[in-house]
Amino acid sequence: MKIRAIHIENSVAMKIYEKHRVPVEEIYEVFAQNQAEFRQVGGNQYMSIGPSKNRYLTMFFTYDEIAKEIDITTAYPSSKKQIKIYKKVRK
């Protein structure tokens, strides 16, 4: 998946940080490393799991295929099960 831009609304960024303690910078970090795995979960909604410096994050976003831009809808630390799936796919 080619991504030209990542958008995160201020209200979404605040919710993600307050509820899950995930700063916006960490979300950008995961995508910058180009190690995230993507899965379409319905329509133009996608889920991604990937590593940051200290942990794995699970992120949900919409993807505009024409503009190659994503809008983050939520992000949270990945569960052990999600990390296991990520590592299995990355082998």
Side-chain angles (χ1 to χ4, degrees):
M1 174 179 290
K2 183 167 176 74
I3 300 171
R4 291 188 184 141
I6 299 169
H7 303 287
I8 306 173
E9 298 272 341
N10 286 338
S11 60
V12 173
M14 288 182 4
K15 181 200 87 157
I16 291 170
Y17 185 76
E18 290 173 1
K19 189 172 182 181
H20 304 293
R21 296 291 182 233
V22 175
V24 170
E25 297 79 18
E26 194 172 4
I27 294 169
Y28 287 115
E29 178 187 325
V30 170
F31 286 108
Q33 292 183 32
N34 291 322
Q35 294 184 14
E37 287 296 323
F38 302 94
R39 182 171 293 166
Q40 189 172 13
V41 293
N44 67 342
Q45 183 78 23
Y46 289 80
M47 178 188 78
S48 177
I49 300 172
S52 68
K53 289 179 186 170
N54 301 317
R55 59 186 174 174
Y56 289 84
L57 294 182
T58 298
M59 298 156 290
F60 285 85
F61 57 90
T62 57
Y63 181 63
D64 182 332
E65 291 187 35
I66 296 168
K68 307 292 187 214
E69 298 177 349
I70 65 173
D71 289 303
I72 300 291
T73 53
T74 194
Y76 54 87
S78 301
S79 68
K80 290 179 182 179
K81 182 177 179 179
Q82 290 169 326
I83 294 168
K84 185 177 179 181
I85 291 168
Y86 171 84
K87 288 181 177 180
K88 183 177 181 182
V89 171
R90 293 299 287 188
K91 282 186 177 183

